Amino acid sequence: MLVAWLAQAPQSDPSMRLGRDALAAGRFDEAIAHYTKALNAQPTNPGIMLNLCIANYSAAHYPQALPWCQKATALPPSALFLGLTHLKLGQPKLALAPLQRFHAAQPTNPTGLLELADTYFVLGQHAQALPLFLKLNTPEAQKGAALSQALIHRNAKRHKDSIAVYRAALQAFPNDARFEQELGRSLYLDHNYDEAIPLLARYHLDLELGISHLDTGDSNAAIAALTRVQDRPEAQAPLGSAYLKSGQPEKAIPHLIAAAKDDTDGSIHLQLARAYQRTGQPQAAAKAQARYEALSKK
Amino acid sequence: MTPLLISLLLAQQIQFEAVPNAIDFKLENFPSPAKFLPETMAGGLALFDYNNDGKIDIFFANGADLATGKKASNRLYRNDGKFRFTDVTEAAGLKGTGFAFGAAAADFDGDGHVDLFIPAFPNSQLFRNLGNGRFEDITSKSGLQSSKWPIAAAWLDYDQDGKLDLFIVNYLDWSPTNNPWCGDRAKDLRVYCHPSRFNPLANSLYRNLGNGRFEDVSKQTGIAPHSGKGMSAAVGPQGIFVTNDTLPNALFRYNKQGAFDQVALAAGVSLPDSGKPISAMGVDMRDLNNDSHDDIVITALARETFPYFQSDAKGQFTDVTDPTRLAALSARYSGWGIAIADLDNDGWKDIVTCNSHVNDQIEAISADRYKLPNAIFRNLNGRTFTSQALGDPRAHRGCALADLDNDGRLDLVVTVLGEKPEIWRNISPQANWLDIEAPLGTTVTIGNQTNTATSSVGYSSSSLTPIHFGLGSQKVVSLLITYPNNGPIEVRDTVQTNQRLKLAPIAPLK
């Protein structure tokens, strides 16, 4: 990419050479004139813009210098490589602005399109990613487009539409693991547990698998799945619930206690009250029930 | 599962056969683009012997066009035997008014003829059975007028004065002028609004003053302070249990000081073990595990399961939906009507539910199904259940059980939105049985089985029929009878099975 761009910047332009010489000799206004002429021949060349920035600055023409300085830093390839570097460093938020600048300058550049689309996707901005993916015809971009489209539906709670996109994508890319996982998740969110459970199990999505089992009345299967992710905070409430429902209130208690701090509707405290009651702890039960009553009235 | 076990289970299946075209009634709910909430709530019925000929007749509540007021007639069908029925609505004067949801049947005036209360919007109706095939509308003079939306009702003698009082389950504060747009505007998909869009209502209790007059005693009896979104009520020795839609359920226990205490939370039946309110719909309250304490099972929507609360001797309930496998068997169903009764006469009460989702557009927005088959949950020795679907997926609503052909097996009547009802003849293998006609509230114990004479059942329905016992291989049994109103306790030995036994009503103690 960098090599390709450099090839577009011939150094043999006489105006460029004259401008460089004038700048070195401190003839700033002359340098500005040469670079302006050179820019007419290469209007997107950031090197010329940078030199116009320097020449104007050196001539103390600050208002004139500013737009050239800004344009010079905004244009490829520096913006592209700045963005890519941020991505490599796991900083997609910082990558976004330079990649946007690069894309604005070279809207058909496939690398710029793909990297910007990927960055939008990673940041969860699927509506912005989708049109960029659709401009590309590579398998990678097609997958990105399908994932973006499906996640747009999912975030709008249109799980049926999301499922349809994943199913279509799996026709094009059979057995694609990412699509199968996401299909499993969307089926789970759509409460289509009969179809979701095999996919969730295949990809070890144990939190979703456990909750699916819990919602289909199989608390023992829920316990088996949820204990595999029992260190995750979001597993505490369903695991406690599964233990309580399966008749193991003593095992439910620690998980319900762990989940209780996030109890907004009182449901965890009511479960806790029942678990205490069934393990012969009436005072703790009364306290938990009182907390349930307070939370449920909010 | 071994082939032998499979064939044993099949041999023991509860069996019904459809009785097609027995009744020409069509449940008209007048679905409209405005998605008026009552449209999806129709479908209660009553099974009772209106003409005292020993055969159980069928009453269907029917809807009305809420935009125009056009009424689809309620219907009363006389049972002529052998699953033949005659429409006697006109002669009986039971066409009714308004959008009727169900019926509560009982002889409230003690004249030996079963009367009917019909919860309806905007006005309910009370019909007195004159005993000559006609009913008289006595609503206006009864004192039962109310501005609330009633959806179900139950008769009970709460003050034990020998006169049946009326508990009315009120739903929420919907009206045609309080009918917001709910759904997905992007898809132009309008749906029936979630109950959370409306304010709850308190239930009502009317004391029977005699002479067809009633007094609203909701406040002084402690009923009025407890608002909910009531769907159905079950009445029995445990009290009055009311299912609330997306709110905690209520259990009203009479405190002998003229009032009720709402004890659902303390008794463990306000919510299932998830701790979250569910769309509780229909309910029945009977002893499922033969420990002589009435248990509670309610219908709800898919994934909420049909919670089963098992009672102990102290009136404390435990959610046993998961351990009994009822959770796994019911999680994919959405149910309305429900009845608990011994369908195969093996000595263990089974469960039948009449199923459909509440939202007729649900399939556009979720994997849940709108039309569903009915379900039978066969009770295996009080510890666990097996399930079997009954019939095709349809928009089922209310249902009730009664022995329509007097063969000792309980038959099933199910209403269907926009369609004819389903009549299911019980053809399960014969076993011994005993039916006992007794005053409401009478409790009978045979061995370790207990059952109580009740009327309200399931979703906005009534089954005023003899107390039914399945007795397996027992030919002769002993009865322990506890009459209501602090009445006597009677023991009857060497009672032959396979008969309908009539117990004389007992006068209340003064």
Side-chain angles (χ1 to χ4, degrees):
Chain A
M1 182 65 218
L2 178 62
V3 173
W5 182 84
L6 288 174
Q8 298 171 11
Q11 295 298 310
S12 55
D13 185 334
S15 300
M16 285 284 284
R17 195 177 61 250
L18 291 169
R20 187 185 59 212
D21 292 346
L23 189 63
R27 303 192 301 273
F28 303 123
D29 287 337
E30 185 186 334
I32 290 167
H34 288 303
Y35 284 130
T36 302
K37 190 176 174 187
L39 192 70
N40 287 336
Q42 300 177 59
T44 61
N45 189 321
I48 302 172
M49 293 177 192
L50 182 61
N51 286 332
L52 276 168
C53 158
I54 295 168
N56 276 291
Y57 175 85
S58 301
H61 299 159
Y62 304 120
Q64 288 82 1
L66 185 62
W68 297 120
C69 299
Q70 288 171 328
K71 285 180 184 177
T73 55
L75 286 179
S78 55
L80 176 65
F81 281 90
L82 178 60
L84 292 175
T85 305
H86 279 307
L87 286 180
K88 293 289 184 190
L89 291 170
Q91 299 165 334
K93 278 187 182 174
L94 296 175
L96 188 59
L99 289 174
Q100 284 172 328
R101 288 199 298 272
F102 179 83
H103 175 65
Q106 295 199 9
T108 59
N109 184 294
T111 305
L113 274 168
L114 188 60
E115 296 300 339
L116 182 59
D118 273 346
T119 304
Y120 278 131
F121 184 86
V122 168
L123 292 172
Q125 298 181 35
H126 306 116
Q128 284 75 31
L130 179 61
L132 302 179
F133 280 129
L134 289 173
K135 287 179 181 172
L136 296 163
N137 200 27
T138 63
E140 192 180 1
Q142 288 170 1
K143 288 182 181 180
L147 285 168
S148 299
Q149 180 69 71
L151 289 169
I152 289 168
H153 290 315
R154 182 188 287 175
N155 292 339
K157 300 193 187 306
R158 294 195 299 267
H159 302 303
K160 280 193 176 309
D161 294 334
S162 163
I163 289 165
V165 172
Y166 287 128
R167 288 195 200 284
L170 280 165
Q171 295 278 322
F173 304 99
N175 305 317
D176 182 280
R178 178 75 191 270
F179 285 129
E180 288 195 336
Q181 286 181 44
E182 294 301 334
L183 175 61
R185 282 199 175 97
S186 283
L187 289 165
Y188 156 78
L189 291 168
D190 196 39
H191 307 304
N192 186 346
Y193 296 131
D194 290 337
E195 287 190 74
I197 284 174
L199 289 170
L200 298 173
R202 186 185 307 166
Y203 291 102
H204 309 292
L205 300 170
D206 288 319
L207 180 66
E208 294 89 343
L209 180 64
I211 295 171
S212 300
H213 284 308
L214 195 58
D215 271 4
T216 49
D218 191 347
S219 48
N220 289 324
I223 290 167
L226 291 166
T227 47
R228 292 194 287 268
V229 287
Q230 63 181 329
D231 294 334
R232 290 174 61 179
E234 61 269 44
Q236 301 310 310
L239 188 52
S241 192
Y243 275 128
L244 182 66
K245 288 183 174 187
S246 72
Q248 302 177 73
E250 68 288 347
K251 290 186 178 176
I253 289 170
H255 298 288
L256 293 171
I257 288 172
K261 64 180 186 303
D262 299 320
D263 187 9
T264 55
D265 61 3
S267 60
I268 303 293
H269 282 87
L270 184 64
Q271 293 177 71
L272 200 48
R274 289 187 179 173
Y276 282 133
Q277 207 166 27
R278 290 170 200 172
T279 51
Q281 303 177 69
Q283 287 181 331
K287 195 174 168 186
Q289 185 162 306
R291 185 71 184 134
Y292 155 74
E293 290 184 80
L295 286 168
S296 64
K297 281 176 187 160
K298 281 185 180 173
Chain B
M1 196 177 287
T2 65
L4 176 62
L5 189 53
I6 290 170
S7 42
L8 278 173
L9 285 173
L10 285 174
Q12 292 170 346
Q13 270 197 342
I14 295 163
Q15 294 168 39
F16 283 91
E17 69 176 13
V19 182
N21 302 315
I23 280 176
D24 61 358
F25 167 73
K26 182 182 172 190
L27 177 55
E28 303 278 9
N29 63 320
F30 295 93
S32 71
K35 291 287 178 188
F36 290 135
L37 208 46
E39 295 165 8
T40 194
M41 315 291 280
L45 69 150
L47 304 181
F48 65 104
D49 184 0
Y50 91 100
N51 56 356
N52 290 339
D53 67 351
K55 295 188 286 291
I56 298 296
D57 311 296
I58 308 176
F59 174 84
F60 295 103
N62 212 351
D65 187 331
L66 290 162
T68 66
K70 179 190 169 191
K71 166 68 179 168
S73 173
N74 303 323
R75 297 282 196 96
L76 177 65
Y77 287 88
R78 185 184 68 222
N79 185 344
D80 297 329
K82 298 181 179 176
F83 286 97
R84 290 195 300 267
F85 298 88
T86 300
D87 184 348
V88 294
T89 311
E90 285 293 330
L94 283 175
K95 182 180 174 185
T97 60
F99 197 113
F101 298 97
D107 178 13
F108 77 81
D109 55 3
D111 66 353
H113 307 291
V114 180
D115 312 295
L116 270 184
F117 175 77
I118 302 171
F121 185 93
N123 298 116
S124 302
Q125 289 184 285
L126 178 64
F127 287 96
R128 181 171 168 262
N129 188 337
L130 302 177
N132 59 359
R134 284 199 63 77
F135 288 75
E136 176 191 10
D137 182 352
I138 61 164
T139 314
S140 60
K141 64 183 178 189
S142 70
L144 288 175
Q145 289 87 351
S146 168
S147 59
K148 294 174 180 172
W149 172 4
I151 208 155
W155 293 99
L156 74 160
D157 185 4
Y158 82 93
D159 55 357
Q160 302 183 346
D161 66 351
K163 296 190 288 287
L164 290 175
D165 312 297
L166 185 62
F167 184 90
I168 299 178
V169 179
N170 295 311
Y171 189 35
L172 40 71
D173 75 341
W174 176 91
S175 74
T177 55
N178 181 23
N179 186 56
W181 201 102
C182 299
D184 184 343
R185 285 198 186 270
K187 292 187 173 181
D188 195 25
L189 184 70
R190 189 169 188 179
V191 301
Y192 296 113
C193 288
H194 190 271
S196 61
R197 298 295 299 267
F198 307 96
N199 291 324
L201 296 174
N203 299 303
S204 305
L205 180 63
Y206 289 90
R207 181 167 174 260
N208 188 341
L209 303 174
N211 298 320
R213 291 182 303 109
F214 291 79
E215 174 192 13
D216 186 345
V217 293
S218 310
K219 283 183 185 168
Q220 54 265 50
T221 55
I223 298 295
H226 303 284
S227 291
K229 293 174 183 175
M231 290 286 282
S232 301
V235 175
Q238 299 275 18
I240 306 169
F241 181 84
V242 180
T243 57
N244 280 318
D245 194 357
T246 68
L247 289 176
N249 303 307
L251 178 61
F252 296 101
R253 281 192 173 140
Y254 195 56
N255 62 19
K256 307 288 183 190
Q257 286 140 25
F260 288 86
D261 297 322
Q262 206 289 83
V263 299
L265 178 62
V269 285
S270 62
L271 296 169
D273 264 358
S274 66
K276 292 179 182 294
I278 59 172
S279 301
M281 313 285 267
V283 60
D284 203 3
M285 182 160 59
R286 291 181 196 283
D287 178 17
L288 274 161
N289 60 339
N290 287 354
D291 66 352
S292 78
H293 311 300
D294 278 359
D295 310 305
I296 293 171
V297 183
I298 61 183
T299 49
L301 297 185
R303 298 179 306 287
E304 294 174 338
T305 75
F306 296 161
Y308 168 12
F309 298 98
Q310 196 172 74
S311 175
D312 64 15
K314 295 176 182 171
Q316 285 290 316
F317 291 83
T318 302
D319 182 344
V320 294
T321 320
D322 271 50
T324 57
R325 292 197 71 239
L326 198 55
L329 298 173
S330 65
R332 290 162 181 83
Y333 284 114
S334 299
W336 291 77
I338 180 170
I340 297 173
D342 191 349
L343 299 176
D344 52 2
N345 289 337
D346 67 347
W348 296 95
K349 297 181 194 73
D350 311 290
I351 304 168
V352 61
T353 64
C354 302
N355 304 321
S356 164
H357 203 280
V358 64
N359 180 352
D360 60 354
Q361 300 293 325
I362 190 66
E363 290 173 31
I365 53 177
S366 111
D368 296 342
R369 294 279 176 263
Y370 176 57
K371 295 183 177 182
L372 294 165
N374 304 310
I376 294 167
F377 302 95
R378 183 165 181 264
N379 186 342
L380 303 181
N381 302 323
R383 287 190 290 272
T384 187
F385 294 87
T386 59
S387 71
Q388 59 194 88
L390 179 66
D392 294 326
R394 298 168 88 188
H396 300 107
R397 287 296 185 269
C399 60
L401 292 161
D403 183 1
L404 295 173
D405 55 354
N406 291 336
D407 69 349
R409 293 172 291 195
L410 295 172
D411 310 297
L412 176 67
V413 183
V414 189
T415 63
V416 187
L417 279 193
E419 295 188 52
K420 289 181 181 177
E422 295 173 357
I423 312 285
W424 293 96
R425 180 176 171 234
N426 190 333
I427 55 166
S428 303
Q430 282 283 8
N432 296 310
W433 54 276
L434 184 66
D435 280 357
I436 301 164
E437 281 188 52
L440 274 186
T442 304
T443 296
V444 178
T445 299
I446 300 177
N448 55 6
Q449 288 193 64
T450 298
N451 212 341
T452 300
T454 63
S455 172
S456 62
V457 68
Y459 173 66
S460 195
S461 294
S462 253
S463 187
L464 191 66
T465 58
I467 308 170
H468 180 81
F469 284 90
L471 295 165
S473 58
Q474 296 181 80
K475 300 275 189 193
V476 179
V477 292
S478 295
L479 275 54
L480 175 68
I481 305 160
T482 306
Y483 290 96
N485 306 329
N486 294 320
I489 294 174
E490 179 187 357
V491 176
R492 290 196 188 186
D493 286 322
T494 60
V495 174
Q496 296 292 321
T497 58
N498 303 323
Q499 63 159 327
R500 182 185 288 188
L501 191 67
K502 186 163 186 170
L503 303 181
I506 303 295
L509 293 180
K510 300 298 181 188

